Amino acid sequence: MFVYIPIDGLFYIGFALIVLISYPIDHLVMRVGKTVNGAFYSLVAVSLGLFFWLVIWFDEAARQRDMGTIPVVFNFAFAVLLYAAFLAVSYFVLRAVHRRTQVNR
């Protein structure tokens, strides 16, 4: 059985996958490098590269499906806001995890 998922739904599923891919890489960098800033910069680099790839994919998929301009602009704007919130939350989570691991040593 085939389930139809709209293109913008796939876009946000891809965004969730970026989060799920970025965090393990980020925590690995934090464990090896033992710095919050290095881990955060690696998170930004990996997630930004994947985010740009996702935006390019969504733009091409929206053109092929003849999606209107306004829905594409709203999806891009909402995705940028979500990405900024993701970066802010991840920075504070990284600081808290780093402090907790430093206290336990």
Side-chain angles (χ1 to χ4, degrees):
M1 175 146 275
F2 181 72
V3 177
Y4 175 73
I5 300 175
I7 297 296
D8 52 351
L10 289 174
F11 180 62
Y12 293 113
I13 289 171
F15 188 76
L17 287 174
I18 289 173
V19 171
L20 292 175
I21 291 170
S22 298
Y23 268 123
I25 294 170
D26 183 42
H27 283 286
L28 180 67
V29 169
M30 189 171 67
R31 298 280 182 206
V32 171
K34 300 190 185 339
T35 62
V36 176
N37 288 338
F40 181 70
Y41 294 147
S42 71
L43 175 88
V44 170
V46 169
S47 65
L48 194 62
L50 291 172
F51 184 68
F52 281 146
W53 176 79
L54 184 67
V55 165
I56 291 168
W57 171 83
F58 178 69
D59 186 41
E60 186 63 31
R63 282 186 200 164
Q64 288 179 0
R65 296 286 298 169
D66 291 329
M67 186 182 258
T69 303
I70 297 299
V72 171
V73 170
F74 284 155
N75 280 317
F76 282 155
F78 187 62
V80 167
L81 290 175
L82 276 178
Y83 185 71
F86 161 68
L87 289 179
V89 167
S90 65
Y91 180 73
F92 291 117
V93 167
L94 282 174
R95 270 190 12 195
V97 168
H98 184 67
R99 284 183 188 161
R100 188 174 59 221
T101 57
Q102 294 298 322
V103 170
N104 290 336
R105 287 186 180 186

